[in-house]
Amino acid sequence: SSSSSSSSSSSSSSSSSSSSSGESISDADGSVLDKIKDLEKQIESEERLEALKFNKDKMNGGDSSSDEGPQQLPEVAAAATKESAYGGALMPGEGSAIAAYVQKNLRIPRRGEVGWSGQEIEQLENLGYVMSGSRHRKMNAVRIRKENQVYSAEEKAALARVNYEEKQQKEQKLMAEFRDMLQQRNERKKKMKS
């Protein structure tokens, strides 16, 4: 019985030493847990605020003045806008590819003519060769329609550029007239003062 009491006292002393070190561990754990709980509360409140802001923006028509979230690259947006300017019924990239030839004043290659220069094709046609892209009425009609779509879009863009340049020139002329008028007025004021 004495051995059992000594073992129990040794176990109680070991448990008391572990409980004192356990208290320090639990105190450290408690402060860490408190910090974690505080962070969780902060995150929850931020998420609530963000959700409220999102709902408010959605109720106001969906226009959010902030630039948060993924944004489309400007080059991609410009290309998408330009591609749609050529009209419908064109394959992706087809309008800009045709427009590249139009802008360089080159002949638009037809099916089977890619890799040949416009002069080479013209020489072959003058010799009597018929290019495969010119044989089918329906394909020819589709090609002509697509080319005309691109030509009209390019003409609109060129006209818009000319109008813009004319407007800029008018504004510059008007600004120059205003500057001259202000300079003359300032000179008159200086003469009147002296």
Side-chain angles (χ1 to χ4, degrees):
S1 78
S2 66
S3 66
S4 67
S5 67
S6 66
S7 68
S8 66
S9 66
S10 66
S11 68
S12 66
S13 66
S14 67
S15 68
S16 66
S17 66
S18 69
S19 68
S20 64
S21 66
E23 287 172 7
S24 63
I25 291 174
S26 67
D27 288 343
D29 288 346
S31 64
V32 170
L33 289 175
D34 290 340
K35 288 180 182 178
I36 291 173
K37 287 179 184 177
D38 289 341
L39 285 173
E40 287 176 345
K41 287 178 185 177
Q42 184 180 0
I43 291 171
E44 284 178 16
S45 66
E46 288 175 1
E47 287 176 347
R48 280 192 209 119
L49 288 173
E50 189 175 338
L52 289 172
K53 183 180 175 186
F54 176 77
N55 287 336
K56 183 179 177 184
D57 287 343
K58 194 171 184 179
M59 296 301 286
N60 290 335
D63 292 338
S64 176
S65 61
S66 65
D67 292 333
E68 294 179 7
Q71 301 291 322
Q72 190 175 26
L73 295 175
E75 306 90 42
V76 175
T81 304
K82 186 172 170 117
E83 194 66 36
S84 66
Y86 295 119
L90 293 174
M91 299 294 287
E94 188 175 19
S96 55
I98 293 173
Y101 285 97
V102 171
Q103 291 165 356
K104 294 177 186 174
N105 270 342
L106 296 174
R107 181 179 186 272
I108 300 169
R110 298 177 185 140
R111 185 174 181 215
E113 296 177 356
V114 176
W116 294 80
S117 72
Q119 294 171 346
E120 291 173 330
I121 293 168
E122 211 171 303
Q123 288 174 353
L124 291 170
E125 286 178 341
N126 289 338
L127 290 174
Y129 289 98
V130 178
M131 303 304 279
S132 64
S134 303
R135 285 191 176 176
H136 306 287
R137 286 185 198 165
K138 191 172 184 178
M139 284 180 66
N140 231 3
V142 168
R143 176 188 57 80
I144 289 170
R145 181 188 49 78
K146 288 181 178 183
E147 287 177 4
N148 287 338
Q149 274 183 284
V150 173
Y151 281 127
S152 62
E154 287 296 314
E155 287 171 0
K156 284 180 185 176
L159 185 62
R161 281 191 296 271
V162 168
N163 289 340
Y164 178 75
E165 289 170 3
E166 287 176 356
K167 184 179 176 183
Q168 290 291 339
Q169 288 174 352
K170 285 180 185 177
E171 287 178 2
Q172 287 175 355
K173 184 179 177 184
L174 187 63
M175 292 294 287
E177 289 174 1
F178 280 137
R179 280 191 201 108
D180 291 341
M181 186 174 62
L182 288 173
Q183 284 177 351
Q184 291 172 358
R185 184 181 287 174
N186 287 338
E187 288 173 4
R188 277 190 238 144
K189 284 184 181 181
K190 284 181 184 178
K191 286 181 184 179
M192 292 176 88
K193 286 183 181 181
S194 54

